[in-house]
């Protein structure tokens, strides 16, 4: 990636921090995202936080488990923003995990930044 960084700028980083690690169904997941600008001016199209449920269960008569993955919530935290080179951009978020979410599932919080080019 060194050559690509030299040619196209690169250096953009996204960091996700959660206030607490475990949140039950019906609870609220909260945290912050820190987006660091790259080596040249960039345009942030969308900064998104997804809450994903992963349920792994053994299947009778099979050595492979059943894996059920569902996006419970998809939220745009910020959109259409200019990112100055090397800038630190902090965004807070707070979203509720649905009450009817399966309590035996594992929940993941995933963040993504859409930056064209």
């Amino acid at each position: 990636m060194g050559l690509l960084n030299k040619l196209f700028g690169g250096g953009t980083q996204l960091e996700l921090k959660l206030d607490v690690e475990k949140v039950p169904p019906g609870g609220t997941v909260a945290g912050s995202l820190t987006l660091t600008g790259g080596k040249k001016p960039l345009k942030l199209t969308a900064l998104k936080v997804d809450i994903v449920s992963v349920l792994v269960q053994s299947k009778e008569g099979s050595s492979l488990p059943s894996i059920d993955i569902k996006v419970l919530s998809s939220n745009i935290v910020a959109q259409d923003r200019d990112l100055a080179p090397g800038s630190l951009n902090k965004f807070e978020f707070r979203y509720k995990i649905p009450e009817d979410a399966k309590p035996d599932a594992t929940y993941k919080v995933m963040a993504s930044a859409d930056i064209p080019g």
Side-chain angles (χ1 to χ4, degrees), residues 12 14 21 36 56 59 83 112-113 117:
T12 306
L14 178 60
E21 291 295 318
T36 305
V56 179
K59 287 195 305 188
L83 297 176
S112 60

Side-chain angles (χ1 to χ4, degrees), residues 76-108:
I76 293 180
V77 177
Q79 61 186 16
D80 298 326
R81 296 200 182 199
D82 293 320
L83 297 176
S87 63
L88 287 176
N89 304 276
K90 191 168 184 175
F91 304 93
E92 305 287 325
F93 65 89
R94 176 178 230 81
Y95 300 110
K96 187 172 181 176
I97 295 179
E99 298 269 349
D100 61 350
K102 297 178 180 175
D104 49 345
T106 301
Y107 298 95
K108 304 287 183 189

Side-chain angles (χ1 to χ4, degrees), residues 16 18 50-54 70 73 97 106-110:
L16 167 68
L18 298 176
D50 293 332
I51 301 172
V52 179
S53 164
V54 181
K70 290 183 181 172
S73 176
I97 295 179
T106 301
Y107 298 95
K108 304 287 183 189
V109 179
M110 299 174 11

Side-chain angles (χ1 to χ4, degrees), residues 8 40 115-117:
F8 300 108
K40 64 180 186 176
I115 302 172

Side-chain angles (χ1 to χ4, degrees), residues 10-87:
T12 306
Q13 294 180 349
L14 178 60
E15 182 181 357
L16 167 68
K17 287 187 181 177
L18 298 176
D19 291 349
V20 294
E21 291 295 318
K22 294 189 178 192
V23 178
T28 300
V29 62
S32 64
L33 298 170
T34 303
L35 180 61
T36 305
K39 295 179 182 176
K40 64 180 186 176
L42 297 169
K43 180 76 170 182
L44 172 68
T45 304
L47 181 61
K48 192 165 84 167
V49 172
D50 293 332
I51 301 172
V52 179
S53 164
V54 181
L55 181 61
V56 179
Q57 296 176 318
S58 58
K59 287 195 305 188
E60 192 173 320
S62 175
S63 61
L64 297 175
S66 166
I67 301 173
D68 183 29
I69 300 173
K70 290 183 181 172
V71 176
L72 299 178
S73 176
S74 186
N75 307 282
I76 293 180
V77 177
Q79 61 186 16
D80 298 326
R81 296 200 182 199
D82 293 320
L83 297 176
S87 63

